[in-house]
Amino acid sequence: MPERLGPPREEPLFARLALVGLGLIGSSIALAARRQNLAGTIVAADADADVRARAQALGLADAVYADATEAAREADCVVLCVPVGACGAVAAAIGPVLEPGAIVSDVGSVKGAVIAAVVPHLPAGVHFVPAHPVAGTEQSGPEAGFATLFVNRWAILTPAEGTDPDAIERTRTLWEGMGSAVEIMSAPHHDLVLAITSHVPHLIAYNIVGTAADLEQVTQSEVIKFSAGGFRDFTRIAASDPTMWRDVFLNNKEAVLEMLGRFNEDLSALARAIRWDDGETLHALFSRTRAIRRGIVSEGQDAPAPDFGRPRE
Ligand code: NAP
């Protein structure tokens, strides 16, 4: 992907950008929007008093409120940056103060369930443009954010048919302004694609790390000592935020279970190949998967350095 971060805008895109939730994603949007002059005023809300104090100390926003309605009042764009399961409650709270013409967006990793939870609370004349930045790390909280998180990453928009084209364009401009490449697709398609590219891999990582921790004959210290054999790459993903990921699985049930069914079938086929000394099947699969890794690197979605660029001892 070519370098996508342009210079800061001469005129802000939004007069008042409100971010609800100041974790990794909310704080990264605050930093990127400030740096790229995407908003005249950036305000935020977070339910957690400790997060608010830390966000204020970091200077993430012009004002940080406990109450999401205070942030959303008079905002021309509100982005919900809370766990997927909290989006409906936040929309119910802010709905009454939203002004006609305002854009509401979100960053949830699941789209269908968020749309179903948010839409009933938005007054007529408010435009909902759901979004999902396919960017992140295993860290959470306001200190985890950084302004370049979205640079050269995809942002997927899933607006319903009939959504105001200008609102879609402005949301696209927000994400492109932070350096992302934007793609538009339907919510069900998004949820299916992300189930296999993100949700099931996280479930596998949580499972393998959990299994290793439970195995009695392999002590915890040996798991850590010999983790460079591959295990530690799973532990990075399995360290991801528990609340966020609980909500992802509970809100993308159907697609995750469908993909997990496919995964289980393929895993059984591999077990069978091992049992029957079918080296040809194993070698053919491992060659295909190696090509996928090379494709990801050549698309600029990861660096080519061996072992993820970890320093050599
Ligand atoms: P995070 O670091 O855990 O931050 C979420 C923040 O929202 C926390 O400070 C939380 O406070 C606050 N919050 C929760 N419920 C709230 C409510 N009702 N009103 C106001 N604030 C509330 O999470 P994140 O990683 O930024 O994820 C946020 C969203 O981005 C999720 O929907 C996730 O699916 C999506 N996303 C995440 C990633 C990633 O890699 N992390 C990538 C793409 C998209 P508490 O501490 O009190 O819970």
Side-chain angles (χ1 to χ4, degrees):
M1 196 184 276
E3 174 63 46
R4 289 188 179 264
L5 190 66
R9 286 174 67 90
E10 295 198 353
E11 291 295 323
L13 176 66
F14 295 111
R16 178 177 165 103
L17 172 65
L19 305 169
V20 182
L22 274 177
L24 167 71
I25 302 296
S27 62
S28 295
I29 295 176
L31 293 167
R34 174 88 73 211
R35 193 169 86 165
Q36 296 300 104
N37 194 27
L38 289 159
T41 303
I42 300 172
V43 295
D46 199 288
D48 187 323
D50 189 41
V51 168
R52 290 197 298 277
R54 283 148 54 203
Q56 256 150 352
L58 290 163
L60 287 177
D62 297 303
V64 182
Y65 302 98
D67 184 351
T69 57
E70 291 306 314
R73 205 180 293 281
E74 293 180 18
D76 46 354
C77 181
V78 182
V79 185
L80 312 182
C81 307
V82 295
V84 164
C87 286
V90 173
I94 66 172
V97 303
L98 294 173
E99 310 219 337
I103 293 173
V104 172
S105 189
D106 75 304
V107 294
S109 309
V110 174
K111 302 286 26 123
V114 168
I115 292 168
V118 167
V119 166
H121 302 294
L122 300 184
V126 168
H127 311 296
F128 185 36
V129 186
H132 174 209
V134 187
T137 74
E138 68 280 17
Q139 308 204 322
S140 37
E143 294 82 7
F146 54 101
T148 53
L149 176 61
F150 310 112
V151 175
N152 292 356
R153 296 284 168 258
W154 289 100
I156 300 173
L157 309 185
T158 63
E161 267 185 47
T163 303
D164 177 49
D166 185 53
I168 298 173
E169 266 326 289
R170 283 161 70 76
T171 309
R172 174 195 284 278
T173 306
L174 173 68
W175 286 100
E176 288 180 348
M178 295 189 285
S180 295
V182 171
E183 184 139 322
I184 296 184
M185 63 178 70
S186 74
H189 187 67
H190 166 279
D191 290 351
L192 203 60
V193 170
L194 270 291
I196 193 62
T197 56
S198 172
H199 307 169
V200 168
H202 275 78
L203 199 67
I204 292 166
Y206 282 124
N207 187 54
I208 201 164
V209 174
T211 303
D214 288 346
L215 279 178
E216 279 174 25
Q217 68 270 39
V218 182
T219 68
Q220 285 273 16
S221 65
E222 277 173 319
V223 168
I224 290 166
K225 186 169 159 191
F226 299 120
S227 65
F231 182 72
R232 69 180 177 189
D233 291 341
F234 285 100
T235 64
R236 184 190 72 74
I237 299 178
S240 299
D241 191 78
T243 306
M244 169 189 157
W245 283 97
R246 176 204 62 196
D247 281 10
V248 167
F249 292 116
L250 296 183
N251 287 281
N252 197 22
K253 245 182 223 183
E254 233 172 84
V256 168
L257 292 176
E258 186 178 328
M259 290 303 169
L260 211 51
R262 279 293 297 267
F263 174 83
N264 282 331
E265 279 175 27
D266 291 346
L267 194 62
S268 300
L270 280 182
R272 192 179 161 79
I274 293 168
R275 183 180 308 283
W276 296 105
D277 293 318
D278 181 1
E280 210 175 301
T281 295
L282 297 177
H283 195 271
L285 174 70
F286 302 164
S287 303
R288 272 204 292 142
T289 56
R290 181 177 243 197
I292 287 172
R293 169 72 192 163
R294 288 179 177 153
I296 288 169
V297 169
S298 71
E299 282 277 313
Q301 294 300 303
D302 206 350
D307 198 20
F308 299 141
R310 291 183 179 108
R312 304 258 158 180
E313 268 131 53

